[in-house]
Amino acid sequence: MSAAEGTSERRGAVVAVDVGGTTVKGMVRVGDVVLDRVVVPTFGAAPVVDALAAGGPALAAIAAVVDRLAAAAARAGHPLAAIGLCTPGVVDSPAGTVVVAVNLDWRDLPIVALLGDRYGVPVAVAHDARAAATAEIAARTAAGRDVTEMVFIPIGTGISASLVVDGRLVVGAAGGAGEVGHVCVRPGGEQCTCGQRGCVEAYASARNVARRYREAGGTIDGGAEDIVAAVDTDPVAAAVWADAVDALAAGVAILAAVLDPAVVVVGGGLGESGERLLAPLRTAVDARLGWRPSPRIEQSLAGAGAGLAGAALLATAAAAPAPAPAPDHGTRRNP
């Protein structure tokens, strides 16, 4: 075995964590090799660790995922080198803080400091939609697809968007750019977890599609994906889905009018519904933007795992050694 191969085998492992309102997904990899994956309920039975108590059950679930993946890496001979995680809410990445995440019951949570103290490795955090967009940009760039003016909307337990303007991700003054899920499109409508009424998310997120279906008397015992699959045969599913598409179209039309993107990319779990979502969404957006051309609406190339892939990119960057400072040769004086 060469010295290079031996060094490669002893490389540190990075852990990627995608935090959702329903599940926490994790992956550990060394280079491009995935060693293990794990999924746990966000609000499951993981005990709350005292040092992480500020984050409640959701942060305890994250710690449980990292513990299991770090142990798997150690068994394979790779020490933990860094952690990258993506989370919903308003995220201040430079400060390492989740300012607010209503679906996780977090407010001003210093998540990077808490996890950094626990594991003793670099930790990076980003908004889940922006982390997923980073993976989507990489996938679309590799496929030769344009990403210069793009909106990326992952649809899961919640709904948000990543805004790409002139080829750059827009974060916003307070880290909250792209929260289209909490744009009111039905004034006085259904209650949203954010405290407002009539938000896009209250109608079109996976969790709320399932909730509204059950409340309307639907009989399918499954999640939103099962309900979408039944829209051609189940009138309740069809009505709930039509409402969801209409609310989402209203949000997309607002983004299109303000940002004028070339393409709107739909991802997340419900993004995997393909043309069952995209075809009626295109029609509904066209109807709302009759005065101007609509953007293209396409399915994500990165797929439902874009958030985890983006978190892995974060972790890899965090694990990279900082560049050496330029040598100080003093101040050059003119003769």
Side-chain angles (χ1 to χ4, degrees), residues 1 4 10 120 277 302 312:
M1 179 174 61
R10 293 192 297 272
L277 170 59

mmCIF file of all heavy atoms in Angstrom, residues 1 4 10 120 277 302 312:
data_model
loop_
_atom_site.group_PDB
_atom_site.id
_atom_site.type_symbol
_atom_site.label_atom_id
_atom_site.label_comp_id
_atom_site.label_asym_id
_atom_site.label_seq_id
_atom_site.Cartn_x
_atom_site.Cartn_y
_atom_site.Cartn_z
ATOM 1 N N MET A 1 0.860 -1.211 0.000
ATOM 2 C CA MET A 1 0.000 0.000 0.000
ATOM 3 C C MET A 1 0.884 1.245 0.000
ATOM 4 O O MET A 1 1.831 1.360 0.767
ATOM 5 C CB MET A 1 -0.897 -0.003 1.241
ATOM 6 C CG MET A 1 -1.807 1.216 1.340
ATOM 7 S SD MET A 1 -2.961 1.084 2.720
ATOM 8 C CE MET A 1 -1.850 0.983 4.120
ATOM 9 N N ALA A 4 0.271 7.389 0.019
ATOM 10 C CA ALA A 4 -0.920 8.182 -0.312
ATOM 11 C C ALA A 4 -2.184 7.417 0.028
ATOM 12 O O ALA A 4 -3.149 7.967 0.568
ATOM 13 C CB ALA A 4 -0.910 8.557 -1.795
ATOM 14 N N ARG A 10 -6.965 6.990 6.292
ATOM 15 C CA ARG A 10 -7.073 7.557 7.628
ATOM 16 C C ARG A 10 -7.718 8.945 7.617
ATOM 17 O O ARG A 10 -7.689 9.653 8.614
ATOM 18 C CB ARG A 10 -5.681 7.641 8.263
ATOM 19 C CG ARG A 10 -5.071 6.277 8.554
ATOM 20 C CD ARG A 10 -3.841 6.434 9.435
ATOM 21 N NE ARG A 10 -2.791 7.191 8.765
ATOM 22 C CZ ARG A 10 -1.862 6.658 7.972
ATOM 23 N NH1 ARG A 10 -1.873 5.370 7.721
ATOM 24 N NH2 ARG A 10 -0.927 7.414 7.413
ATOM 25 N N GLY A 120 -16.228 18.867 19.472
ATOM 26 C CA GLY A 120 -14.860 19.329 19.327
ATOM 27 C C GLY A 120 -14.354 19.385 17.902
ATOM 28 O O GLY A 120 -13.146 19.232 17.655
ATOM 29 N N LEU A 277 -47.508 17.440 -10.013
ATOM 30 C CA LEU A 277 -47.402 18.781 -9.444
ATOM 31 C C LEU A 277 -47.088 19.817 -10.519
ATOM 32 O O LEU A 277 -47.728 20.866 -10.595
ATOM 33 C CB LEU A 277 -46.318 18.809 -8.364
ATOM 34 C CG LEU A 277 -45.914 20.195 -7.843
ATOM 35 C CD1 LEU A 277 -47.111 20.924 -7.236
ATOM 36 C CD2 LEU A 277 -44.789 20.076 -6.820
ATOM 37 N N ALA A 302 -31.254 17.583 -8.346
ATOM 38 C CA ALA A 302 -30.594 17.034 -7.152
ATOM 39 C C ALA A 302 -31.506 16.086 -6.388
ATOM 40 O O ALA A 302 -31.032 15.271 -5.597
ATOM 41 C CB ALA A 302 -30.119 18.158 -6.245
ATOM 42 N N ALA A 312 -23.554 18.187 3.306
ATOM 43 C CA ALA A 312 -22.251 17.525 3.144
ATOM 44 C C ALA A 312 -21.228 18.481 2.548
ATOM 45 O O ALA A 312 -20.051 18.470 2.941
ATOM 46 C CB ALA A 312 -22.395 16.282 2.266
#
